[in-house]
Amino acid sequence: MMKKKAASVFIASFLLCSLIPASLYAENEGAKPLSKNLIVLIGDGMGPAQVTAARLYSKAILGTESLHLDGYYVGQASTFSERGEADGSVESGMITDSSAAGTALATGRKTYNSAVSLSNEVVAKPYASVIEAAEAKGKATGLVTTVRITHATPAVFASHVRSRKNEAAIASQMLDSGVDVLLGGGADYFTGKEAGGKRSDTTIVPDFEAKGYSVVQDLAGLKALTAKHDKVLGLLGRSHLDYAIDRDSSSPSLAELAGKAIELLSAKPEGFVLMIEGGRIDHAAHANDLPTMVKEVLDFDAAVKTAMDFAKKDGSTSVVVTADHETGGLSLGRDNMYDLPIDLWNRQKQSSQMLNAALEKARTLDEIRQLVQAHTWITDLSDEEARFILKGDGTDYEREGAYNAVISKRLLAGWSGHGHSGVDVGVWAYGPIADLVKGKIDNTDIAKAGAKTVGVDLDAATAGLQAKYWYPRFKTAPGGSVVYPAKALAAELGASTEWDETSGTVRIVKGGTTIVVSLRDGSAALNGQAAAYTVHVDKGTLYLSLDAFNALSGQSMTWDPLSERLVRKAG
């Protein structure tokens, strides 16, 4: 009884807290913007321990007492996602992925893991991001990242798909997104070279150029850009950009990318909204590669300084910094040792990713020892440690994971695994937005506060998108026809559905239009006349082809197979 009462109190409190930000940040088109510009910085996977590790390293190795972040700390944000399905399996709950967390940070709405700025429904609806709302108001916009520009975090600001894996669709939608500056990796998704997943057989780079984008693919090209370049597509790597620890002079830092984006966007008189992501903090933490991760946080921190320096000089720019989630379950300290050998944190010469190919080729304990000695400070690798690396850690990271486990133990760092955790993440801010994100907030409040700060309307932008596109679950029936869940899509169109088990028929009615489907022979009729609709039943759910729904509604919806969406209204 007490447990039920406690649960009721928790739920009531949770709902109350959820309602407060909605009223606090309610859109008001008549309100004067608090800032002309907004910069949102996201450290992907950057939990509290990641920040602490970078600070300790900065103090011990670099002689710097604090991070640039430290002077702007205002609070912390929760990161949970909604329960939901992606690719047919339940993947969501209290632990978010980057696309669900990114959707919250970009749109102010919760969704399921893997969704890119869509609602958590059978017939999903797009949610507009603060970037898209800013474009609707005529502001310049930009996305900057150290990972593929089609990866989850940048994707949620400028595209909408049921699964983040559909990066070819994300690239295609970015072409039509109107975002002025796109800087990151992922060239293969724009040039038709991508080997897996959905893709176009032809490059879309000429399409960007036709729309006025200057396309650059290296640091020299990036540096040559000036304010006269109104639109820029920077594809600075086939996939992700190099880790900071692995970069040479030809690879840009996140601060360089951020500085160039700010330079280009700040030339626009209408103001701008810019998202900057340190995306590879997450990757290093997934691999449990502590030395690489620390340098990624420092690389991100340098970009924070670039943004803050501009904001202070400009006088009309708000900056908010946070993370989408924590990765790896990092702990600083382990094995009952009350110390940290931070002087060793700078002794690994390359990321584990760069070493992985050589680790996989090794066949003997001596070969493992030689590799470890050549790339780290370790000259006394034990047989037990070498055997463990040779065997692998039993996860998808295999020998790389085992190598990082050995290194982390030596560095007295612990990891709970290779996935995300549910801890709150830090929030830092400068300018008028700081007052809107203080204390304990939810990640959705970041988007709401950002929209309020620059005076853009998320709800209006969302309504505009939902009038154009729906994203239903779908299946491909035998014969190749794409079919959609009858009851859910009919309900969205304002129709009622009745399932008669006795006669084995389903009756769908809207106004004077009636569709009757026989589940026994797969036949269908429209207003009493035979209709050649594709009928498919899977696990008790009836699916119908699009022509049935168009006949029911009187609409002329079409199917976009790349983005896997119904186009309700062109343009």
Side-chain angles (χ1 to χ4, degrees):
M1 185 70 179
M2 288 297 292
K3 288 183 178 179
K4 290 183 178 180
K5 185 176 291 186
S8 299
V9 171
F10 171 80
I11 292 169
S13 300
F14 175 80
L15 292 173
L16 179 60
C17 291
S18 298
L19 291 172
I20 291 172
S23 60
L24 179 61
Y25 303 132
E27 308 284 354
N28 183 352
E29 293 185 73
K32 182 180 179 181
L34 305 175
S35 292
K36 180 181 178 182
N37 309 313
L38 172 66
I39 302 175
V40 180
L41 293 109
I42 300 171
D44 198 314
M46 190 181 72
Q50 281 80 1
V51 176
T52 301
R55 185 184 303 110
L56 293 174
Y57 178 98
S58 184
K59 183 176 181 179
I61 305 298
L62 305 179
T64 304
E65 286 295 318
S66 61
L67 300 175
H68 299 298
L69 276 175
D70 289 339
Y72 307 100
Y73 183 78
V74 295
Q76 64 189 56
S78 50
T79 64
F80 61 91
S81 61
E82 288 185 338
R83 290 205 172 274
E85 291 187 7
D87 302 323
S89 62
V90 176
E91 298 182 350
S92 292
M94 292 303 296
I95 311 300
T96 191
D97 80 335
S98 290
S99 56
T103 295
L105 293 169
T107 73
R109 310 286 193 108
K110 294 286 188 182
T111 192
Y112 62 93
N113 290 352
S114 208
V116 174
S117 293
L118 293 181
S119 63
N120 186 8
E121 299 172 279
V122 174
V123 181
K125 316 297 190 315
Y127 293 144
S129 71
V130 66
I131 288 272
E132 291 168 315
E135 288 165 7
K137 196 166 182 178
K139 287 186 176 292
T141 56
L143 296 172
V144 172
T145 184
T146 52
V147 296
R148 296 191 295 269
I149 197 68
T150 51
H151 219 235
T153 302
V156 297
F157 285 88
S159 64
H160 309 269
V161 287
R162 287 198 71 98
S163 173
R164 59 183 286 183
K165 296 177 183 178
N166 194 353
E167 292 186 57
I170 292 166
S172 177
Q173 289 185 36
M174 283 181 169
L175 172 64
D176 298 320
S177 69
V179 177
D180 298 283
V181 175
L182 297 160
L183 300 177
D188 284 1
Y189 286 93
F190 294 81
T191 59
K193 296 178 182 177
E194 194 271 314
K198 290 182 174 294
R199 58 180 288 272
S200 170
D201 291 329
T202 57
T203 175
I204 61 173
V205 168
D207 298 321
F208 275 88
E209 292 173 328
K211 287 197 171 186
Y213 284 83
S214 299
V215 180
V216 299
Q217 299 189 52
D218 53 32
L219 182 57
L222 180 74
K223 289 182 175 179
L225 295 169
T226 66
K228 71 178 182 180
H229 296 94
D230 290 339
K231 291 183 175 293
V232 173
L233 173 63
L235 300 173
L236 302 162
R238 290 189 61 183
S239 184
H240 306 307
L241 275 61
D242 290 338
Y243 281 122
I245 197 173
D246 298 327
R247 286 184 199 140
D248 58 27
S249 59
S250 67
S251 300
S253 67
L254 183 58
E256 288 176 304
L257 294 171
K260 181 56 69 173
I262 291 170
E263 175 191 337
L264 299 175
L265 294 172
S266 61
K268 312 289 177 67
E270 62 272 23
F272 67 87
V273 175
L274 170 65
M275 190 286 296
I276 301 166
E277 181 199 20
R280 304 222 67 189
I281 301 168
D282 176 66
H283 294 171
H286 272 299
N288 297 168
D289 184 349
L290 179 72
T292 297
M293 184 217 73
V294 166
K295 292 187 177 180
E296 288 303 304
V297 176
L298 293 174
D299 188 57
F300 178 74
D301 191 51
V304 171
K305 181 180 186 302
T306 297
M308 294 297 185
D309 287 349
F310 169 80
K312 290 176 181 178
K313 183 178 179 180
D314 176 68
S316 187
T317 297
S318 279
V319 181
V320 61
V321 186
T322 192
D324 50 357
H325 52 74
E326 192 274 344
T327 299
L330 174 62
S331 64
L332 301 178
R334 60 179 293 165
D335 302 331
N336 300 317
M337 299 289 288
Y338 283 60
D339 199 2
L340 288 170
I342 302 171
D343 58 309
L344 299 178
W345 290 10
N346 195 36
R347 302 286 295 278
Q348 180 172 287
K349 299 175 183 178
Q350 290 180 303
S351 69
S352 63
Q353 182 185 59
M354 292 291 283
L355 185 59
N356 189 43
L359 288 172
E360 290 299 324
K361 290 179 181 178
R363 292 294 175 265
T364 68
L365 298 185
D366 281 342
E367 287 176 327
I368 292 293
R369 285 194 190 91
Q370 290 168 14
L371 284 171
V372 171
Q373 185 169 336
H375 291 86
T376 73
W377 73 98
I378 299 173
T379 59
D380 60 343
L381 194 74
S382 69
D383 285 352
E384 182 183 5
E385 289 172 318
R387 275 195 293 269
F388 178 55
I389 294 173
L390 202 59
K391 181 181 179 182
D393 72 348
T395 74
D396 290 343
Y397 282 88
E398 299 178 337
R399 290 183 181 176
E400 182 185 3
Y403 164 84
N404 283 327
V406 169
I407 298 297
S408 292
K409 187 170 184 177
R410 295 266 186 149
L411 298 178
L412 296 183
W415 303 89
S416 67
H418 292 296
H420 298 171
S421 74
V423 300
D424 290 353
V425 296
V427 180
W428 301 260
Y430 172 83
I433 197 171
D435 287 333
L436 301 178
V437 293
K438 283 183 177 178
K440 170 62 183 72
I441 64 170
D442 184 61
N443 54 7
T444 53
D445 297 328
I446 300 286
K448 296 169 188 175
K452 180 179 178 67
T453 299
V454 290
V456 300
D457 193 334
L458 288 172
D459 289 340
T462 293
L465 285 172
Q466 293 185 1
K468 294 180 180 179
Y469 305 112
W470 285 348
Y471 295 75
R473 294 180 191 169
F474 67 95
K475 291 189 177 294
T476 302
S481 295
V482 178
V483 290
Y484 312 90
K487 184 176 182 179
L489 187 49
E492 293 293 343
L493 295 168
S496 62
T497 303
E498 297 177 3
W499 191 302
D500 188 334
E501 294 186 6
T502 301
S503 63
T505 60
V506 176
R507 181 183 180 88
I508 306 172
V509 180
K510 182 182 180 184
T513 302
T514 300
I515 294 175
V516 177
V517 177
S518 171
L519 301 177
R520 292 173 179 169
D521 61 12
S523 64
L526 172 65
N527 294 332
Q529 301 295 315
Y533 305 143
T534 300
V535 177
H536 179 67
V537 178
D538 182 70
K539 296 178 181 178
T541 299
L542 171 65
Y543 293 82
L544 294 174
S545 50
L546 184 57
D547 48 356
F549 299 102
N550 280 335
L552 184 70
S553 64
Q555 298 183 25
S556 299
M557 297 182 290
T558 59
W559 179 241
D560 175 354
L562 180 60
S563 291
E564 299 176 342
R565 63 186 177 185
L566 289 176
V567 181
R568 304 181 64 208
K569 183 171 67 175

